[in-house]
Amino acid sequence: MLSRLSELIWADWIWFPEGHGWADLTDHDDVVFPKPRDLWATVPIALCFLVIRQIFERTVAIPLGSLLGVSDKQRVRASPNPVLESYFCSTSKHPSQSSIESLSKQTGCSLRQVQRWFRRRRNQDRPSKLKKFREASWRFTFYLLAFFAGLAVLIDKPWFYDMKLMWDGFPKMPLLPSQYWYYMIELGFYLSLLFSVASDVKRKDFKEQIIHHVATIALISFSWVVNYIRGGTLIMVVHDASDYLMESAKMFNYAGWRKTCNFIFTVFAAVFIVTRLVILPFWIIYTTLVYPLTLYPTFFGFYFFNGLMLVLQVLHIFWAALILRMVVKFLPGNDIVEDERSDKEETESEDESENREQRGKSKNGHLQNGHTPLNNNHRKMD
């Protein structure tokens, strides 16, 4: 039963166009082709990345953050309160007005004290600027090195200039050592991001990031297995082209270097739009989705690969919208760029503003049970 299932899963007609199959990827005369078992090497590489990241953050990112002036405001911790802590952990971090009134009676605290306790408790769980800076520094370093490594791998290849040549001789295209290491290191890095997702800063687009990582890992793995190596390397270098700019903009944002951050972010936005919304769909996806129809009959692998490509493209459009929103916000007033995906810390001034608004409402007769109505519409964060 299992052998029959294995034969069906690895059937030539699923993975290759008619007339081709796994036999085409058999090594011969010192010519090497990618093998599915090669992908196991990415697991120890990912674990190595996790170790290297810890060393890098401690020995490079933290001193660099101190040098650039990254600092955090002193946070006032919420006073110990078992009743409020239980509600915060088990029910909601953003209690409704009726819940605040109930908690106020249970604890003997005023409504304002309960509201302030929850605000301070939420701030305790938010990551510090230094933590965000460390993560951005690590990703910046990798993406920068990966981008130039990708260029070095591709700069002398004819399909870098004429993308239709990525299908020349498919699937009997020999694997080059530079392609092997480029693939293993890129895939290992994305696996490490997936392994560390639980401890990393969670942003508003957390679900989209997970989908992106999974789709990227599946895309890289699949392209390796069926020898879409040429197309895969092009896709990876296009992605790395803008990522290091975004991470560097974040670094200067956390350091408070407003003009530097704004300049880099503007460059990032332009590169992102050109690479992700122009080059990727109209050059690369066209060459993987439309051009092959003139060469081969369609097959399952063709639909699977391009399906993942389209998933990534939808995510790129989603992020492009967020990027444009940020650009529109900071350009007129020359304010610092704020990551639309980040969880903002609530401040004392916000609390005071809410109380003034509530007092104004009470003067207009909006009084409930002798208490000022609470404006508890805090923005819910991921």
Side-chain angles (χ1 to χ4, degrees), residues 286-303:
Y286 173 83
T287 311
T288 62
L289 180 62
V290 179
Y291 178 68
L293 297 177
T294 65
L295 304 175
Y296 310 102
T298 57
F299 53 103
F300 173 79
F302 168 84
Y303 293 112

Side-chain angles (χ1 to χ4, degrees), residues 112 115 350-360:
R112 182 176 175 183
Q115 184 184 37
E350 290 175 4
D351 194 44
E352 294 298 328
S353 177
E354 286 179 357
N355 288 322
R356 285 196 298 270
E357 183 179 336
Q358 292 158 11
R359 286 196 295 270

Side-chain angles (χ1 to χ4, degrees), residues 51-318:
V51 174
I52 294 171
R53 173 178 174 175
Q54 294 300 316
I55 298 173
F56 174 87
E57 290 187 0
R58 294 173 184 272
T59 61
V60 178
I62 292 178
L64 179 61
S66 177
L67 182 65
L68 294 178
V70 178
S71 60
D72 290 294
K73 295 179 180 179
Q74 187 67 32
R75 293 177 178 175
V76 180
R77 298 183 64 84
S79 58
N81 191 310
V83 174
L84 299 182
E85 183 68 28
S86 175
Y87 186 94
F88 181 90
C89 295
S90 61
T91 306
S92 174
K93 297 180 180 181
H94 299 268
S96 62
Q97 180 177 326
S98 60
S99 297
I100 289 180
E101 292 175 352
S102 175
L103 291 169
S104 173
K105 294 176 182 178
Q106 293 179 51
T107 59
C109 300
S110 67
L111 299 178
R112 182 176 175 183
Q113 287 173 329
V114 173
Q115 184 184 37
R116 180 179 294 160
W117 188 94
F118 274 92
R119 175 179 50 74
R120 289 178 176 176
R121 184 63 181 82
R122 286 192 293 269
N123 282 341
Q124 284 179 210
D125 287 349
R126 292 188 170 95
S128 65
K129 279 186 179 180
L130 184 57
K131 178 176 174 59
K132 294 178 180 179
F133 180 87
R134 286 162 52 186
E135 289 186 10
S137 300
W138 167 245
R139 290 193 294 265
F140 163 77
T141 302
F142 176 82
Y143 290 137
L144 180 65
L145 295 176
F147 173 64
F148 285 103
L151 287 180
V153 169
L154 287 166
I155 198 69
D156 61 340
K157 306 300 186 295
W159 56 86
F160 184 62
Y161 306 97
D162 183 0
M163 294 185 183
K164 291 181 180 180
L165 294 178
M166 73 170 69
W167 297 105
D168 187 26
F170 174 80
K172 302 177 183 180
M173 299 178 293
L175 174 65
L176 304 176
S178 59
Q179 293 173 328
Y180 174 86
W181 286 110
Y182 187 38
Y183 254 79
M184 295 300 106
I185 291 173
E186 281 273 355
L187 185 53
F189 179 76
Y190 278 104
L191 277 176
S192 73
L193 291 182
L194 203 58
F195 293 160
S196 64
V197 71
S199 60
D200 287 347
V201 175
K202 290 182 175 60
R203 304 181 187 277
K204 295 179 186 178
D205 64 345
F206 176 74
K207 293 179 181 178
E208 289 82 1
Q209 285 284 359
I210 293 296
I211 294 172
H212 180 271
H213 292 340
V214 171
T216 301
I217 291 170
L219 185 65
I220 295 174
S221 301
F222 178 81
S223 65
W224 176 268
V225 170
V226 296
N227 206 11
Y228 287 1
I229 302 295
R230 294 177 180 178
T233 51
L234 289 170
I235 293 166
M236 289 189 292
V237 78
V238 163
H239 276 75
D240 292 335
S242 61
D243 285 341
Y244 71 90
L245 290 169
M246 179 61 178
E247 299 304 332
S248 61
K250 289 180 185 177
M251 291 167 61
F252 286 108
N253 185 3
Y254 303 141
W257 292 38
R258 177 166 55 188
K259 292 183 179 179
T260 305
C261 172
N262 287 356
F263 173 76
I264 295 175
F265 188 83
T266 303
V267 175
F268 157 75
V271 174
F272 184 95
I273 291 172
V274 170
T275 55
R276 307 287 185 95
L277 300 187
V278 179
I279 294 177
L280 186 65
F282 295 107
W283 290 2
I284 297 180
I285 294 182
Y286 173 83
T287 311
T288 62
L289 180 62
V290 179
Y291 178 68
L293 297 177
T294 65
L295 304 175
Y296 310 102
T298 57
F299 53 103
F300 173 79
F302 168 84
Y303 293 112
F304 182 76
F305 180 83
N306 286 290
L308 292 174
M309 291 289 290
L310 293 176
V311 169
L312 291 180
Q313 190 57 43
V314 170
L315 291 173
H316 295 158
I317 295 172
F318 168 77

